[in-house]
Amino acid sequence: MVLDLVRIRSTGGAFGLAGIGSWNLARSGVDIDVPRHVAIAVAAFLGIAFCQAFNDVIDRDLDRLAGKTRPLAAGQLSLGTARWVSGLCAVGAVLVVSFDPVLSLAEAAVVGLGVLYSCRLRSTILVGNLLVAAVSTSAFLLPYLSVGEIGPPALAGWSFVGLYILGNEIFKTQVDRRGDREYGLRTVATAAPSAASSAALLIATCGMAGLATVLAARLRYGWRVAFICTVLLVLLLQLASLVRLLISTREWIGLDWEGAQTWWKIPWVPAGLLLLMVR
């Protein structure tokens, strides 16, 4: 139940993102202290795990109203236990990287942003979605931050995956719109027409294409070909998601956001693999 509380299947991606960042630094000639970078990956995981657990604590009534099977809302986990788990994750995220004040400050910022989202920005139009995307992909930047090497390529790679996560968050907002509306939350799905979400998804896809172009220009020919092929796969699946959304209109049902979200999720692995090519 605790693993479900922190959404281990998505939060576990922090290890992968941090590992990719460390790998890219090693490829570029930076001397990697393995125990140090393992600690960075663990801190990244704990920071995001806190955000997930704390959000469940704050949203427990909304999740119960929406009929979700989250462990806290379903009564499978006590409120006290959930609070302890979120608190331990927050403290652990900061302490694990206490050897570097900059990293500790960065993890404290992740914890603070998680609180800000759940308490204030959950009921906003796109602002909360942008924050979730930024925090969810922050693990990729932590290894670069540890050696002071955050440059345009790292930021472009982080932004590419961040836009991908942003698109998924927009879909999730639409899928949850009925419960959010009943609970009085103001989101892009409850306060704006569906066209606004569709436009945001299209802008995110175009942004990913633009960032991919910038990154591809920095690669050698062999890597560039592999990179471009992977980008095309990701973007084609994203476009398939949007097409699925456009052709799913039914007057008595509405747009099939959940079905389209499935298509958007498919290229998560290739989207993440693109970061391995960032130099």
Side-chain angles (χ1 to χ4, degrees):
M1 291 299 102
V2 171
L3 294 180
D4 195 20
L5 177 70
V6 300
R7 289 180 169 88
I8 188 65
R9 285 186 297 178
S10 57
T11 306
F15 287 109
L17 288 173
I20 290 172
S22 299
W23 169 259
N24 287 343
L25 286 171
R27 284 197 307 127
S28 63
V30 176
D31 186 24
I32 297 297
D33 182 340
V34 176
R36 178 187 179 95
H37 281 260
V38 169
I40 290 172
V42 171
F45 167 79
L46 290 173
I48 298 174
F50 161 78
C51 295
Q52 299 283 18
F54 184 78
N55 186 67
D56 266 23
V57 170
I58 299 300
D59 280 358
R60 60 189 183 278
D61 293 333
L62 172 60
D63 290 342
R64 193 176 296 116
L65 178 66
K68 292 184 178 180
T69 56
R70 299 296 304 151
L72 192 55
Q76 299 169 334
L77 202 66
S78 70
L79 179 59
T81 300
R83 284 173 172 166
W84 267 104
V85 170
S86 61
L88 289 173
C89 286
V91 173
V94 176
L95 291 183
V96 166
V97 287
S98 57
F99 54 80
D100 188 329
V102 174
L103 291 177
S104 289
L105 184 60
E107 281 305 310
V110 167
V111 169
L113 290 173
V115 173
L116 180 63
Y117 169 78
S118 295
C119 296
R120 294 292 181 184
L121 299 182
R122 175 79 171 81
S123 185
T124 58
I125 297 178
L126 289 181
V127 176
N129 303 125
L130 285 165
L131 181 61
V132 168
V135 169
S136 298
T137 52
S138 61
F140 175 68
L141 290 180
L142 289 180
Y144 292 93
L145 183 63
S146 71
V147 295
E149 293 284 344
I150 295 183
L155 290 174
W158 168 69
S159 299
F160 183 92
V161 178
L163 286 173
Y164 174 84
I165 298 296
L166 173 62
N168 191 60
E169 284 298 310
I170 293 172
F171 272 113
K172 183 177 179 293
T173 302
Q174 283 289 348
V175 171
D176 294 344
R177 66 189 181 281
R178 291 183 178 86
D180 289 349
R181 186 177 290 116
E182 291 179 18
Y183 199 69
L185 291 181
R186 186 171 180 267
T187 68
V188 67
T190 61
S194 296
S197 293
S198 299
L201 288 168
L202 183 59
I203 291 171
T205 302
C206 292
M208 290 168 68
L211 288 168
T213 301
V214 172
L215 290 171
R218 300 179 59 91
L219 298 173
R220 294 177 182 176
Y221 179 75
W223 281 105
R224 187 179 302 171
V225 172
F227 186 85
I228 290 173
C229 289
T230 310
V231 166
L232 288 175
L233 172 63
V234 172
L235 294 180
L236 284 173
L237 287 168
Q238 309 300 65
L239 291 174
S241 175
L242 295 177
V243 170
R244 168 69 185 269
L245 191 60
L246 290 173
I247 65 177
S248 68
T249 304
R250 299 181 178 89
E251 291 182 2
W252 64 94
I253 296 179
L255 297 174
D256 182 14
W257 288 98
E258 192 165 4
Q261 184 185 25
T262 300
W263 280 89
W264 187 274
K265 286 181 177 179
I266 289 174
W268 165 240
V269 173
L273 289 176
L274 288 171
L275 295 181
L276 283 170
M277 305 179 196
V278 174
R279 295 293 298 267

